[in-house]
Amino acid sequence: MWRRWWRMQSPSQQDRFITLGPLLAVVLFLAAVIAAFGYLRIEEIDREQQAVSRDVEYAQQRLRLRLLERQEQLMRIGRDVSNKEIDAEGFILQAEALVNQYPELMAVSWVDSKRRIKLAYVSPSASTNQLHATGDQLKPGETASTYDLARDLRQPVYSRPMVARTSNGYRTTSLQLQVPLDNQGKFDGVIIGDYAIDGLLRFGVPTEVTAKYAVTLVDDKNLVLAGSPPPPRSRAARLLPWSDSAAAYEIPVSPVGNGLLIRAEGYRASLGVVGSGFFWLVSALSALTVWMLLGNWRHTRRRVQAQQALISETNFRRAMENSMLTGMRALDLQGRITYVNPAFCQMTGLSESDLVGRTPPFPHWPEAELDTMMARLDDELHGRTPPGGFEVRVKRKNGQIFDARMYVSPLIDPRGQQTGWMTSMTDITEPKRIREELIASYERFTTVLQGLDAAVSVAPLGSEELLFANKLYRSWFGGDVSGHMNMIAQAGVPAALPTGDELDAVDGLAGLPTDELTTAQSENAEIFVPELSKWLEVRSRYLTWVDGRLAQMVIATDITPRRHAEEQAAQQNERAQTASRLITMGEMASSVAHELNQPLTAINNYCNGMVSRIRGQQISNEDLLVALEKTAKQAHRAGQIIQRIRAFVKRSEPNRAPADVATLVSNAMELAEIELKRHRVRLTHYIAARLPNLMVDRILIEQVLINLMKNAAESIAQSNLPTARRNVELRVVPKQIENQSVVEFSVLDSGLGLSPEVKARLFEAFYSTKAEGMGIGLKLCRSIVESHQGRMEAVNLYNGDEMVGCRFTFWIPVTPPQSHAGATSDSRADKDADVD
């Protein structure tokens, strides 16, 4: 059975087994030796651990008994003190006897209920920090906290180990036992016994334990209080396997608790069984055997690897030929087929046996093209085929014809002799179909571009070459790139101009981040081309041309009719503004006439008086001068009123300029106050100081203010209010609205307010609440404000549930955002003073 299995293995597997067998045996032998030594070492460690645990527990019992004996003796002294069976001298005698008899006890002190030391006896060998003078108070810290605990529990309490430094720099560690005193049920102080922890270790731990182990007393923070740790291991011990530390064990010291622990760690007197010479001898021999077998194994492995590499290379080449999508065919010098790969068989539908050994005509040639195929074969055998290959038509076994491209190259053997020709064939039916579809798609796309009513042109950056231009562009600018460049220049779109580096072979734009340019949004502009007498809307964007160059496409649309319509609309708007102002002044005509009548009447009276007095020679030169000055003043007043009305009504072109808000409001108030006086309405105003200038059309904003104040006066007049309540208030203040600095204008009246129906249609065109109103005033007012990037709103004012008036508010930004060039004329919506 073993022999049959061995014969079933391949030679390479047999060589591998022969090589790896001894190596595996040596590895198993080393594993057995290591396991044996490991087991012995674990047993040894376990025995050491058990021994140290047993000895530490024995030492802890001895130490516990010693502490309990001292505790009982201190409790006996405490009972005698509580029962007043001993006086101060007796206490000192018993304390001295106790301290002298037990060296670990350094001091015995009697502390009263006020934490004052009444009596104390201290060992001569005690350190200075353990001295207790009669009459001293207990120091705050561990001693005071233990005192409080003993007072509360009424039973002996051990303190935590205390560490202190002497004046000469030595460290001392101590432990306190405080026994409470009871005087007829009342706490009367404590008896304190101070232990030297070093003395506890020296006199409480058996010498047979300290001889075998490094014994230390530590606290719960692993701080060594007494004793010393074992010396470090030698360098040889650290080199051995399993050379971990010696066995160690620790346990809390009772009755002190977890604050004091006794720890013991065994001394390593020898290197143990692992350190014996036998171990090192076996290790050296095993290493030598492994080294020799590894050398033999490496040699055999290299031989096996060379065989496997040869087999893999052969299989790889065969798999590569079989997996190729390109058909391969080999011909000898006489034109006989000597080899075909699976791809060639799959393309033609013929098997390898149907093709290999065949001579022309071949079975994959179409019958209708035999003469052409023979001529192609003759060119192939004589090396006259083009390097780029040639197209042929090939017939499949089922009679289907497909297009293919063939490439021919000489077939050279290892000795450098040509033995035939190698032909590669690729099926190009699908690529040819796709190419024809792309050509048709390109023709359709070109037809669409040529039929557009916009001029389209593409030119590369840094060059004066015109890559593409449709029919409309060529009809406007011809085939010159200057039209493309001029449109870009007028539109303000940056374009890279050719420099002196354009003659270099390196592209001047190489390395630029073109992805961000080609994905950016297009840029629009409106320009006028004098050569065409047309307004064009120019849109441009960057794109990557088919050859990889960064190019700029420009699409120009004729917008001349639209521009003409916009200009006509602007003119109509301007005429509507003038008409609105004239309507306002017409409605205010009676008030203006009354206002002008006063200075004119005064002038008439002054003149008649002067004439009468001059005729009667009853006027002096001084009186005449005074009368003439008053006459001139009244004439100046009338002239100011006429000049203000003329400036308001005068038609002018739209003009936005920095305007002082206070002056603007003052001019509007002068004109509006005439109408307010006619309706017996009092005007009050508040204008904030240091208001910023506004970039506005002053006449239009004055018209809005006059409109709002006139509406307020008419609303008050309709409400038939008494004179004391006929008030209009104008407030102008700066504010922050929608994260921008604005100036807010508010007109408040005490009229009837706005009903819900009126408020819903307040800003509709041709809606008016007055019989003679045209319904365009507030609509135009809001258009004026919005053309200055502001907002207008109206709210009713209430006193509880009673409506007491209305407030119209609008605001203008201090720095309005930049708008389109054509927005200025659109924004000049007319302002009518008809208050709706």
Side-chain angles (χ1 to χ4, degrees):
M1 181 176 175
W2 168 261
R3 292 180 179 177
R4 187 167 63 180
W5 176 84
W6 179 261
R7 287 195 297 270
M8 291 175 60
Q9 305 301 315
S10 63
S12 60
Q13 292 176 336
Q14 293 176 359
D15 292 341
R16 188 180 298 110
F17 181 80
I18 292 173
T19 304
L20 295 178
L23 181 61
L24 180 62
V26 171
V27 171
L28 292 176
F29 169 73
L30 289 177
V33 172
I34 294 172
F37 280 117
Y39 174 76
L40 293 176
R41 175 58 183 150
I42 291 173
E43 286 291 326
E44 183 179 5
I45 292 174
D46 187 56
R47 288 195 302 271
E48 291 180 355
Q49 188 64 41
Q50 291 178 2
V52 72
S53 301
R54 188 168 53 252
D55 291 340
V56 170
E57 289 177 355
Y58 168 68
Q60 190 266 353
Q61 290 295 331
R62 290 286 300 273
L63 195 57
R64 175 176 176 273
L65 291 175
R66 193 173 184 90
L67 287 172
L68 288 176
E69 289 176 359
R70 304 294 86 73
Q71 177 179 328
E72 182 62 29
Q73 291 170 346
L74 291 175
M75 290 175 65
R76 190 179 304 116
I77 295 175
R79 284 194 298 271
D80 292 343
V81 171
S82 299
N83 297 333
K84 297 184 172 47
E85 295 179 359
I86 61 173
D87 54 5
E89 184 178 356
F91 174 81
I92 294 298
L93 290 176
Q94 291 190 22
E96 181 179 3
L98 198 60
V99 170
N100 292 335
Q101 185 178 358
Y102 303 103
E104 70 274 12
L105 194 60
M106 303 304 295
V108 178
S109 306
W110 177 4
V111 181
D112 60 12
S113 58
K114 297 182 180 179
R115 302 175 184 262
R116 184 180 295 107
I117 299 176
K118 295 181 64 175
L119 295 171
Y121 178 79
V122 183
S123 173
S125 61
S127 59
T128 56
N129 61 328
Q130 293 176 328
L131 298 178
H132 300 298
T134 302
D136 290 348
Q137 287 286 123
L138 288 181
K139 298 179 181 178
E142 185 63 34
T143 302
S145 62
T146 307
Y147 178 88
D148 295 337
L149 188 60
R151 179 190 61 194
D152 296 338
L153 299 178
R154 299 295 179 89
Q155 63 182 10
V157 176
Y158 284 90
S159 70
R160 291 177 54 83
M162 295 178 290
V163 181
R165 294 281 182 178
T166 62
S167 59
N168 54 7
Y170 290 102
R171 188 185 70 169
T172 61
T173 57
S174 61
L175 179 72
Q176 281 190 356
L177 170 62
Q178 296 192 14
V179 178
L181 301 178
D182 185 89
N183 184 10
Q184 296 180 356
K186 296 182 179 179
F187 180 74
D188 196 32
V190 296
I191 300 296
I192 299 179
D194 287 298
Y195 293 92
I197 296 180
D198 186 65
L200 286 176
L201 176 64
R202 188 164 46 215
F203 300 104
V205 179
T207 56
E208 59 269 21
V209 175
T210 58
K212 294 167 57 178
Y213 307 102
V215 182
T216 56
L217 290 176
V218 298
D219 60 4
D220 54 354
K221 298 180 181 178
N222 207 29
L223 176 65
V224 177
L225 303 174
S228 57
R233 293 174 294 159
S234 64
R235 184 177 302 175
R238 288 196 296 268
L239 294 175
L240 291 173
W242 301 295
S243 59
D244 51 357
S245 59
Y249 186 72
E250 65 180 21
I251 187 173
V253 176
S254 178
V256 177
N258 294 329
L260 183 64
L261 295 89
I262 181 170
R263 176 189 296 168
E265 184 175 353
Y267 294 108
R268 294 303 304 268
S270 65
L271 297 178
V273 64
V274 179
S276 63
F278 173 70
F279 173 79
W280 292 113
L281 179 61
V282 172
S283 300
L285 292 177
S286 300
L288 180 61
T289 304
V290 171
W291 178 77
M292 295 175 63
L293 288 175
L294 284 177
N296 186 27
W297 176 69
R298 284 196 297 269
H299 173 73
T300 305
R301 186 180 62 176
R302 284 195 293 269
R303 186 184 67 183
V304 172
Q305 288 176 347
Q307 294 176 352
Q308 292 177 347
L310 179 60
I311 296 173
S312 298
E313 182 68 19
T314 303
N315 293 336
F316 172 73
R317 291 182 178 275
R318 184 171 299 172
M320 184 173 62
E321 293 176 2
N322 294 337
S323 61
M324 286 180 62
L325 299 178
T326 302
M328 305 295 294
R329 183 193 67 182
L331 300 176
D332 60 12
L333 296 177
Q334 289 74 36
R336 182 182 295 105
I337 297 177
T338 59
Y339 167 78
V340 289
N341 70 339
F344 192 93
C345 297
Q346 184 177 3
M347 288 183 187
T348 59
L350 301 171
S351 63
E352 185 178 357
S353 59
D354 295 335
L355 294 172
V356 175
R358 295 293 297 268
T359 57
F362 299 131
H364 57 276
W365 284 359
E367 290 81 357
E369 302 181 9
L370 291 179
D371 294 340
T372 304
M373 299 301 290
M374 286 297 296
R376 290 282 189 184
L377 179 63
D378 184 67
D379 291 340
E380 183 177 349
L381 295 176
H382 290 85
R384 296 194 295 265
T385 57
F390 55 90
E391 290 188 14
V392 296
R393 294 172 59 81
V394 181
K395 183 183 72 173
R396 291 191 173 94
K397 187 176 182 180
N398 58 7
Q400 183 181 1
I401 304 298
F402 67 94
D403 295 315
R405 176 171 288 274
M406 286 189 173
Y407 301 88
V408 181
S409 60
L411 184 62
I412 308 298
D413 64 5
R415 293 173 295 179
Q417 300 293 327
Q418 181 178 355
T419 59
W421 300 91
M422 178 62 71
T423 305
S424 62
M425 182 176 68
T426 304
D427 185 356
I428 63 170
T429 303
E430 185 65 17
K432 189 173 182 180
R433 181 188 64 82
I434 294 174
R435 183 170 62 252
E436 292 174 352
E437 291 181 355
L438 287 175
I439 293 174
S441 176
Y442 173 76
E443 292 177 353
R444 291 193 296 271
F445 178 71
T446 305
T447 302
V448 171
L449 285 181
Q450 298 294 350
L452 286 177
D453 60 351
V456 182
S457 59
V458 181
L461 295 183
S463 174
E464 294 186 355
E465 176 186 2
L466 188 64
L467 299 177
F468 175 82
N470 69 346
K471 181 178 179 181
L472 185 59
Y473 177 90
R474 295 182 183 277
S475 67
W476 283 354
F477 304 104
D480 192 3
V481 74
S482 60
H484 176 94
M485 303 301 294
N486 290 337
M487 286 190 293
I488 292 177
Q490 291 188 51
V493 180
L497 299 177
T499 63
D501 297 333
E502 63 181 357
L503 301 177
D504 297 341
V506 179
D507 185 4
L509 301 173
L512 289 179
T514 59
D515 291 343
E516 297 183 3
L517 290 175
T518 56
T519 57
Q521 295 183 351
S522 60
E523 301 180 9
N524 299 353
E526 295 181 3
I527 64 173
F528 181 75
V529 181
E531 296 83 357
L532 304 176
S533 298
K534 295 179 183 292
W535 279 96
L536 302 180
E537 181 183 23
V538 178
R539 288 170 292 172
S540 66
R541 66 170 298 163
Y542 297 96
L543 53 84
T544 302
W545 194 242
V546 293
D547 57 1
R549 286 185 293 174
L550 184 63
Q552 193 170 21
M553 178 176 65
V554 175
I555 302 175
T557 307
D558 186 3
I559 60 169
T560 304
R562 192 189 76 187
R563 293 288 298 203
H564 290 165
E566 290 176 353
E567 291 174 359
Q568 292 176 1
Q571 294 173 2
Q572 292 175 357
N573 288 338
E574 185 64 28
R575 288 193 292 269
Q577 293 170 12
T578 304
S580 175
R581 291 194 291 272
L582 291 173
I583 291 171
T584 301
M585 294 310 301
E587 294 175 352
M588 297 172 59
S590 60
S591 300
V592 171
H594 175 73
E595 189 70 16
L596 286 174
N597 187 52
Q598 293 180 0
L600 294 177
T601 301
I603 292 172
N604 183 49
N605 293 336
Y606 283 133
C607 290
N608 291 334
M610 285 187 293
V611 169
S612 300
R613 295 183 65 180
I614 290 174
R615 286 176 178 175
Q617 296 183 354
Q618 297 175 355
I619 187 171
S620 63
N621 291 338
E622 291 78 5
D623 294 339
L624 180 61
L625 183 60
V626 171
L628 290 175
E629 287 177 351
K630 291 182 179 181
T631 302
K633 183 177 180 181
Q634 294 298 325
H636 180 68
R637 178 186 173 191
Q640 280 186 328
I641 295 174
I642 295 172
Q643 182 65 27
R644 184 68 60 204
I645 293 172
R646 182 176 178 274
F648 178 73
V649 176
K650 179 183 177 182
R651 178 175 178 175
S652 61
E653 294 297 325
N655 180 26
R656 292 192 186 185
D660 180 68
V661 176
T663 304
L664 183 149
V665 173
S666 177
N667 293 340
M669 287 171 54
E670 288 183 12
L671 288 177
E673 198 168 11
I674 299 173
E675 184 70 8
L676 266 64
K677 287 180 179 179
R678 185 171 70 87
H679 292 290
R680 292 181 292 110
V681 175
R682 183 165 56 92
L683 175 64
T684 61
H685 67 276
Y686 170 76
I687 303 175
R690 294 187 295 277
L691 287 173
N693 289 344
L694 296 179
M695 182 65 69
V696 296
D697 191 318
R698 181 182 57 81
I699 296 298
L700 298 183
I701 300 303
E702 288 180 7
Q703 183 175 352
V704 173
L705 290 172
I706 294 172
N707 242 354
L708 296 181
M709 288 187 286
K710 179 175 172 291
N711 281 359
E714 293 176 351
S715 177
I716 292 174
Q718 293 175 4
S719 62
N720 296 320
L721 294 174
T723 305
R725 296 180 55 190
R726 300 166 75 92
N727 299 319
V728 171
E729 180 183 359
L730 174 61
R731 294 180 59 84
V732 184
V733 295
K735 276 193 174 182
Q736 283 287 330
I737 299 177
E738 298 179 1
N739 297 325
Q740 59 179 335
S741 299
V742 304
V743 175
E744 183 183 75
F745 301 81
S746 300
V747 177
L748 297 83
D749 65 67
S750 57
L752 298 175
L754 302 172
S755 64
E757 297 79 8
V758 173
K759 190 174 182 180
R761 304 183 61 186
L762 188 62
F763 297 105
E764 287 186 12
F766 307 111
Y767 174 75
S768 176
T769 60
K770 297 180 295 184
E772 71 280 4
M774 296 180 60
I776 62 173
L778 286 178
K779 169 66 176 176
L780 292 177
C781 286
R782 189 173 70 169
S783 299
I784 292 172
V785 172
E786 291 179 352
S787 71
H788 288 80
Q789 289 77 45
R791 295 291 182 271
M792 174 180 283
E793 62 179 1
V795 296
N796 289 321
L797 302 178
Y798 292 89
N799 184 9
D801 295 334
E802 180 185 2
M803 187 183 302
V804 295
C806 181
R807 178 179 66 207
F808 277 82
T809 303
F810 69 91
W811 53 262
I812 304 294
V814 174
T815 305
Q818 296 295 328
S819 59
H820 192 273
T824 304
S825 60
D826 296 339
S827 67
R828 287 297 300 256
D830 292 55
K831 327 344 168 217
D832 190 357
D834 183 12
V835 219
D836 302 346

